[in-house]
Amino acid sequence: MNPKRQSHVFTDNLNSLQSHILAEEARHPHAAGDFSWIVSAIGLGAKAIANKVRRARLEGVLGDFGTSNVQGEQQQSMDVIANEILIRCLGSRANIAVIASEEDEEPTILRKGSEGGKYCVLFDPLDGSSNLDVCGPVGTIFSVLRNNPDESDAERTVCRAGCHQVAAGYILYGPSTALVMTTGRGTDLFELDPYLGSFILVKAGLQIPPRHKVYSINEAYVDSFPKSYQDYLLHCHKSGYSSRYIGALVADVHRILMSGGIFLYPPTAAHPNGKLRLLYEANPIAMIVEQAGGRCMSGPCRTLDVQPNKLHQRVPLMVGSSLEVEDAMRFTAQD
Ligand code: AHM
Ligand code: MG
């Protein structure tokens, strides 16, 4: 074979999300292939949501749905549509025991362990959905846990520390549709090729630059941040930092994953425990970022070690480049 062709074939192979997961499962002699069924459901849901998001204005499904979710937040029409899409995709997979969504008050038991339920899938179907009104990016975030067949209470089943996740990921609906995922062996980036209808692997083993002087925070709330965060921001102002804030967690974190920096959502007057939800926002983001060499903290604690006690629990979040998070921790560790 022509050497140029040979190197191209081996370095630029076309690898879909599905084939990537099947290849990972093949490394484990005892894997039954269950996990690839979940990934294919999430991939299908992501494609359906991406399609809806692109057509939302044309189809007149932007704006409030007219209801509130369990956390008292106005549901957008697209929140409800994205939730239904994911439930329909995941509900058809015979190995899922429990699903839990930001939009639903309680987790739903689909089947018991004795009926084949092996995994729990937790998700925020459309994070940052108010961005859609201004044609801004939004995302889906998901976390996968192994089912506990001895636990009959659905909420207790899913209330597990993030270090027990078997996989986590997000989909960013931006100028392109990006899917970022980890199964605990690094963080991989896929992009949806709309012509093929497949997520294609574009970068395996993402690594966050350890240092990048860009912070991402809703600075309008600065007066209600703890003093330590105010001091940290003053330090950034004096140290040549720049600021970027999209207001959609997935988009802000994706920028940091690709180019470095730090995202912070501290405790505020409106959200004394932080705004972001532990189980289906903070934990999956934490696993993705740690697997890419970054750090993720909730107060003084590693986010993945926080023991949850309820499904919609909130935590403060500080996530991104390892050295940037360490710097911020030096200010806030005493809180
Ligand atoms: P949501 O789940 O209701 O969409 O809220 C989560 C979003 C995150 O995407 C984003 O980081 C944050 O809320 C922005 O909050 P704020 O508008 O207070 O800055
Ligand atoms: Mg959300």
Side-chain angles (χ1 to χ4, degrees):
M1 194 187 283
N2 159 336
K4 198 169 165 202
R5 166 114 196 265
Q6 191 174 22
S7 77
H8 169 79
V9 166
F10 288 114
T11 56
D12 296 343
N13 285 346
L14 204 56
N15 212 345
S16 69
L17 175 62
Q18 204 61 26
S19 55
H20 183 72
I21 294 297
L22 287 171
E24 281 218 338
E25 281 184 340
R27 293 168 190 252
H28 302 282
H30 303 299
D34 286 295
F35 189 65
S36 65
W37 283 102
I38 296 178
V39 173
S40 92
I42 289 169
L44 181 63
K47 284 184 253 182
I49 294 170
N51 188 40
K52 273 286 176 194
V53 161
R54 304 240 173 280
R55 296 189 49 79
R57 186 164 293 282
L58 293 171
E59 292 183 4
V61 287
L62 292 177
D64 287 353
F65 187 64
T67 53
S68 306
N69 65 17
V70 61
Q71 297 148 77
E73 296 157 344
Q74 278 295 315
Q75 286 180 303
Q76 305 272 302
S77 300
M78 279 302 301
D79 285 326
V80 175
I81 291 170
N83 197 34
E84 281 170 6
I85 288 173
L86 280 180
I87 291 170
R88 283 174 63 202
C89 291
L90 291 164
S92 64
R93 305 297 149 130
N95 54 7
I96 300 183
V98 179
I99 53 176
S101 165
E102 175 179 320
E103 301 304 329
D104 296 330
E105 187 166 356
E106 290 171 3
T108 304
I109 298 178
L110 296 178
R111 56 191 63 76
K112 297 180 186 147
S114 57
E115 296 160 347
K118 286 189 179 173
Y119 293 99
C120 308
V121 185
L122 295 80
F123 51 88
D124 180 353
L126 204 60
D127 188 63
S129 50
S130 58
N131 263 13
L132 281 179
D133 292 344
V134 295
C135 204
V138 290
T140 295
I141 315 174
F142 64 91
S143 163
V144 183
L145 292 164
R146 228 176 274 288
N147 184 32
N148 176 2
D150 302 325
E151 179 57 74
S152 56
D153 179 88
E155 186 160 21
R156 279 204 296 271
T157 303
V158 297
C159 277
R160 312 256 294 283
C163 54
H164 297 297
Q165 293 172 108
V166 292
Y170 63 69
I171 298 102
L172 171 60
Y173 311 100
S176 63
T177 302
L179 186 151
V180 171
M181 202 179 117
T182 178
T183 56
R185 297 168 51 91
T187 293
D188 303 324
L189 168 66
F190 303 81
E191 289 268 341
L192 179 61
D193 183 329
Y195 298 104
L196 296 178
S198 286
F199 282 100
I200 302 296
L201 180 68
V202 291
K203 176 84 179 141
L206 290 173
Q207 282 294 312
I208 304 180
R211 166 80 73 201
H212 189 47
K213 289 183 165 188
V214 177
Y215 67 82
S216 187
I217 190 169
N218 191 335
E219 214 161 349
Y221 306 146
V222 68
D223 289 348
S224 76
F225 292 162
K227 170 127 185 355
S228 57
Y229 286 85
Q230 296 173 347
D231 291 345
Y232 170 67
L233 286 171
L234 280 178
H235 155 80
C236 292
H237 297 166
K238 288 182 194 147
S239 310
Y241 277 68
S242 185
S243 160
R244 292 284 182 278
Y245 192 69
I246 298 168
L249 178 66
V250 171
D252 280 313
V253 166
H254 192 67
R255 186 188 55 251
I256 290 167
L257 195 63
M258 304 311 287
S259 58
I262 180 168
F263 172 94
L264 305 103
Y265 206 111
T268 63
H271 296 294
N273 299 317
K275 180 182 181 192
L276 299 167
R277 270 55 57 115
L278 174 61
L279 287 173
Y280 43 78
E281 292 178 327
N283 272 342
I285 294 294
M287 185 176 181
I288 289 164
V289 166
E290 284 200 2
Q291 285 291 319
R295 294 196 63 185
C296 187
M297 304 294 291
S298 290
C301 212
R302 178 182 174 234
T303 302
L304 292 178
D305 291 332
V306 176
Q307 179 56 49
N309 50 41
K310 56 181 189 194
L311 172 60
H312 298 292
Q313 181 169 337
R314 297 174 193 264
V315 283
L317 199 66
M318 183 186 284
V319 56
S321 296
S322 54
L323 298 177
E324 299 299 339
V325 173
E326 277 165 32
D327 281 356
M329 283 299 295
R330 273 196 281 280
F331 286 81
T332 62
Q334 306 310 322
D335 285 351

